[in-house]
Structure formats: C-alpha cells, structure tokens
Amino acid sequence: MLSRLMPREGKFFELFNQHAQLVVQGAEHLLKLLQALDAQPDAARLLAAEIDAIEDRADKVTHQTIALLHSTFITPLDRDEIHQLIARLDDVIDVIQGCAQMIETYDLRTATPEAVRFAQIIHACTDKVAQAVGLLADMDNAPRIMTAIREIGSLEGQADDLLRQSLSKIFREEPDVRQLIKLKEFYEMLELVTDHCDDVGNHLEAIVLENS
C-alpha cells in the first residue's frame, strides 16, 4: 500500500506511447508500400527507406526506456513488466521492417491482394496496440484496455485464417516454384507481425491483471 503512495517516474508511459505510435507509422508505411509497389516502384523504395528510419527511431526510444529503467528507483510498473513491454513493442516494428526488406531482397514487384489484406490487418492491429498502450497510465482504464486486447486477438485470428487461405491458393495456383517460395515466406513474415502484436496484447493483459 505504501508503495502506491510514493512518487513514481511517469515518463515510462510517454516512452511506451512514443514507441507504439512509431509502430503504427511503420504499419501505415508498409500498407502504402504494398499499395504503391505495382505502379510506383520508386515511391515504394522511398517508403521502405522511411520504415528503416522509423525503426531506428523506435530503437532509440527502446534504449531510452532501458536507460531510464536502470536510473529510476521507483517505477510505475514492475521492472520486468516495463522491460518486456518495450521489448515486445520493438519486436513488432522489427518484423515490419523485415517485411519491407524482404520485398527488396526477394525482388517482389507485385503486391498480391492477399499481401495488401495482411497489411490492412497489421495496420488495424497496431492501432489497437497503440490504443491499449495509451490507456495504460491509468488503471481505471482497465476495461477499455481489455476490450482493445480482445480486438488485437481477433485481428490476429483473422491473419491466421488469411495465412491458411493464402498458402492454399499459391500451392494450388502458382506454377513458378521460386515465386511460390517467395510468397510463402513473405506471407508468413506478414502474419508474424500480428503474432507479435498479440504478444504485446497478452503482456498488457498480464500488467492490467497484476496492477488494477
């Protein structure tokens, strides 16, 4: 009880929000990249470079958070909770960057409807992550946080279904084995972004249950 009355470092929540917003920006750019890939390859390359820059900014926020964790005596959440949350947020932007890099590495010149749909789900999922993270500073928001977490889980389930459908389609219809392999790995990487969003949601749920 006494620990709840002692002054706490609140900047952690600002840093969580900064990182979560960068994750959303990365998802927005990934969606735009895929939408531009066919008709505007130069614009797509610029968007990929912007995703790299966003990931770099997110890394800096992660390092700030870890440094603050080491220099703060009383933290608003358990130290491991803080470390795990920022690390799991960082996993999301890292895989978004990996998706953008895979497009260039695999010389993917056309965005399939399935890839665009994955990116739309990713964008929606990161929006919900940012919404939940933005509510975390006040545990009176616990019901709203839990609602956002359930929506993250639902979107991750949609991505799982889309992955199964997409793989089934390319195994039935794609005659070029090399293209089949490229698309399979790309779809799996896109779906992995939603898995990491779900990991963030699961960790947020644990924080809420522990602290509310």
Side-chain angles (χ1 to χ4, degrees), residues 121 124-129 131-132 144-158 197-198 201:
I121 294 172
C125 213
T126 58
D127 272 343
K128 292 301 176 184
V129 166
Q131 179 182 326
R144 294 167 64 196
I145 296 171
M146 296 300 284
T147 297
I149 290 167
R150 287 193 293 272
E151 290 169 340
I152 293 166
S154 176
L155 288 161
E156 192 272 336
Q158 291 179 37
C197 287
D198 196 43

Side-chain angles (χ1 to χ4, degrees), residues 3-168:
S3 65
R4 288 180 177 270
L5 302 176
M6 296 180 73
R8 295 170 179 230
E9 172 58 62
K11 193 180 178 183
F12 287 105
F13 297 112
E14 295 174 26
L15 292 169
F16 293 151
N17 285 327
Q18 286 177 34
H19 200 300
Q21 291 303 321
L22 288 167
V23 168
V24 173
Q25 289 177 32
E28 289 173 348
H29 281 66
L30 180 63
L31 176 56
K32 290 177 182 177
L33 191 166
L34 286 167
Q35 291 171 333
L37 192 59
D38 297 358
Q40 300 173 287
D42 289 341
R45 280 190 287 272
L46 287 174
L47 286 160
E50 289 176 20
I51 290 172
D52 286 340
I54 290 167
E55 192 277 337
D56 185 61
R57 292 199 293 275
D59 270 350
K60 288 181 171 63
V61 175
T62 298
H63 295 151
Q64 282 181 264
T65 306
I66 300 304
L68 183 62
L69 188 59
H70 287 300
S71 64
T72 302
F73 181 64
I74 299 175
T75 56
L77 301 171
D78 179 81
R79 290 176 181 276
D80 187 59
E81 289 175 341
I82 292 171
H83 188 276
Q84 289 295 322
L85 178 55
I86 200 68
R88 291 178 189 195
L89 284 167
D90 213 42
D91 288 341
V92 180
I93 192 63
D94 285 347
V95 183
I96 288 173
Q97 182 190 37
C99 291
Q101 291 175 340
M102 186 177 283
I103 292 169
E104 181 178 0
T105 302
Y106 283 11
D107 193 26
L108 296 172
R109 301 181 185 183
T110 300
T112 64
E114 291 79 13
V116 173
R117 180 60 187 145
F118 270 119
Q120 291 169 339
I121 294 172
I122 288 167
H123 187 202
C125 213
T126 58
D127 272 343
K128 292 301 176 184
V129 166
Q131 179 182 326
V133 170
L135 296 168
L136 192 61
D138 185 349
M139 282 299 156
D140 287 343
N141 293 324
R144 294 167 64 196
I145 296 171
M146 296 300 284
T147 297
I149 290 167
R150 287 193 293 272
E151 290 169 340
I152 293 166
S154 176
L155 288 161
E156 192 272 336
Q158 291 179 37
D160 282 346
D161 291 342
L162 180 59
L163 180 61
R164 286 190 291 271
Q165 295 162 12
S166 301
L167 294 182
S168 176

